[in-house]
Amino acid sequence: MILLAANTSSIGSEVWMAVVTCFAAIFTQNILLSYFLGMCSFISVSREVKTAVGLGAAVVFVMTATTILNWMAYWWVLVPLNLEFYKYILFIIIIAAFVQLIEMIIDRYSPALYQNLGIFLPLITVNCAILGAVLWMVIREYSLIVTVGFGFGSGVGWMMAIVAMAGIRQRIDESKIPAGLRGPGITLIIAGIMALAFVGFTGVLQ
Amino acid sequence: MNGQTATKTTNQIILDGLWRDNPIFRQILGICSTLAVTNNVTNTAVMCISLSLVTALSCATVSAMKEWTPKTVRMMVQVLIIAFYVIIVDILLRAYWPDMSRNLGPYVGLIITNCIVMGRCEAFAQSNRPWPSFLDGLFSGLGYSVILMVIAAIREVMGMGTLAGYPLPYFSTQWDKWVIMVMPPGAFFVLACLLWLCRSIGIKGKKS
């Protein structure tokens, strides 16, 4: 299939690259389990599957949108102006503004969705996974199409990890765990085992 | 809380930052941006120094500017102050130590979203004078650094048999290298075990 994509137009191969990058971001280079991004909310908001799904969905959406927006801001504005060192400030402002905007839109048009997702949106502004994905996208110099795949894949990967973690934590809720290990300790051990499972995907993509 | 922190002495601030309120054990904050570079002691040291300096300087600045900052936009102002120092660190690293800058990748920039920096600005610097805030930031950062350095040392010695790049006598020859230690899962396991150890000591201390 890779050969087939190479023979078609460059757009086709770009799209194929995007698909591969998306897959890689979910499995082999999971943003949480191999880059440790978004750990704070991963540990504190993974007690219940329902809230984990809500936060995860919000992250998928915000991450896809902000990586695209920041790609445009970086390559179309900062690079031509030689102002790359302002990138941190610009990225943070774009992410915060975008989250604020989405919150207002959802609040106005879909109160039901706001009930479910609204409380998670402010949390996302300070989620390092979002800024991390944006910075990776800049460092690896992805094209716009690949960035779409990367942003979406990273979000889905993060969501998958936190939902799985919440499911496991609900199951072990009643188990007897040594006092010192309760809470964050056992969460980290589970995360380690999950990361171990994800290491197994390494050979899948080259 | 505010009344107590206002009268804290320097010694208390130092002790709180390093042990009693240690950001990692007590609050599990800010492991995101730094855990990723703990597979190598040198990288971790650079990252920890950057983080401590950024925290200290941002806390001092936030504290110095608190009278002129409107309450409603203070989060935004804090983020901008932090970003300002992170940019300085990033540019310095890139100019004088390009290899290290490449090794650390996006993680230097991620200091901005590290919860410790923001947490200390919000919890301490908002209600204290610049100098105590500077100390509080510095020692919270150092308290965090100590643990990350321990994690990095364990991972590097067991995973590669070296310490800061220098081969150790026993570990680089006879020791069967645990490759898992330098891979991401190793960081989770080592941190979890350290957390377990320190929390158990804390629980015992409270009982007696």
Side-chain angles (χ1 to χ4, degrees), chain B residues 17 23 48 51-52 55 116 120 136-146:
Chain B
C48 286
L51 184 111
S52 304
T55 317
I116 292 179
R120 289 331 291 176
D136 177 73
L138 186 66
F139 282 96
S140 289
L142 287 179
Y144 169 83
S145 306
V146 169

Side-chain angles (χ1 to χ4, degrees), chain B residues 29-196:
Chain B
L29 282 182
I31 43 179
C32 349
S33 58
T34 319
L35 200 58
V37 293
T38 53
N39 53 5
N40 178 309
V41 173
T42 330
N43 289 357
T44 316
V46 173
M47 191 69 192
C48 286
I49 293 167
S50 317
L51 184 111
S52 304
L53 282 181
V54 169
T55 317
L57 292 170
S58 327
C59 280
T61 316
V62 166
S63 165
M65 286 174 62
K66 65 177 183 288
E67 259 125 69
W68 302 289
T69 321
K71 278 271 173 280
T72 40
V73 292
R74 66 170 199 285
M75 292 294 234
M76 209 59 221
V77 174
Q78 285 171 8
V79 169
L80 289 182
I81 292 171
I82 298 165
F84 169 73
Y85 286 113
V86 169
I87 289 175
I88 294 178
V89 169
D90 186 45
I91 289 178
L92 283 179
L93 267 184
R94 229 182 310 162
Y96 294 106
W97 205 349
D99 295 340
M100 181 52 72
S101 177
R102 225 165 295 128
N103 280 349
L104 294 179
Y107 293 105
V108 174
L110 284 167
I111 293 177
I112 299 175
T113 49
N114 192 310
C115 332
I116 292 179
V117 189
M118 198 95 175
R120 289 331 291 176
C121 286
E122 187 65 24
F124 195 90
Q126 276 298 333
S127 50
N128 284 281
R129 301 181 58 77
W131 176 241
S133 305
F134 179 85
L135 282 180
D136 177 73
L138 186 66
F139 282 96
S140 289
L142 287 179
Y144 169 83
S145 306
V146 169
I147 289 145
L148 284 166
M149 290 304 289
V150 172
I151 296 176
I154 295 175
R155 286 183 71 189
E156 202 188 330
V157 167
M158 292 175 102
M160 290 189 285
T162 58
L163 192 64
Y166 298 103
L168 290 183
Y170 170 76
F171 285 97
S172 59
T173 48
Q174 272 120 318
W175 176 260
D176 214 357
K177 294 183 182 67
W178 296 11
V179 184
I180 194 75
M181 278 295 176
V182 282
M183 292 199 292
F188 287 112
F189 291 133
V190 175
L191 177 61
C193 292
L194 272 182
L195 200 67
W196 187 5

Side-chain angles (χ1 to χ4, degrees), chain A residues 95-132:
Chain A
I95 293 171
F98 180 78
V99 170
Q100 198 79 60
L101 187 76
I102 291 302
E103 203 180 342
M104 280 171 354
I105 292 174
I106 294 181
D107 190 22
R108 173 79 180 72
Y109 291 104
S110 170
L113 189 62
Y114 187 74
Q115 284 280 311
N116 290 323
L117 224 60
I119 45 163
F120 299 118
L121 283 170
L123 268 179
I124 283 178
T125 319
V126 288
N127 189 327
C128 22
I130 309 279
L131 185 66

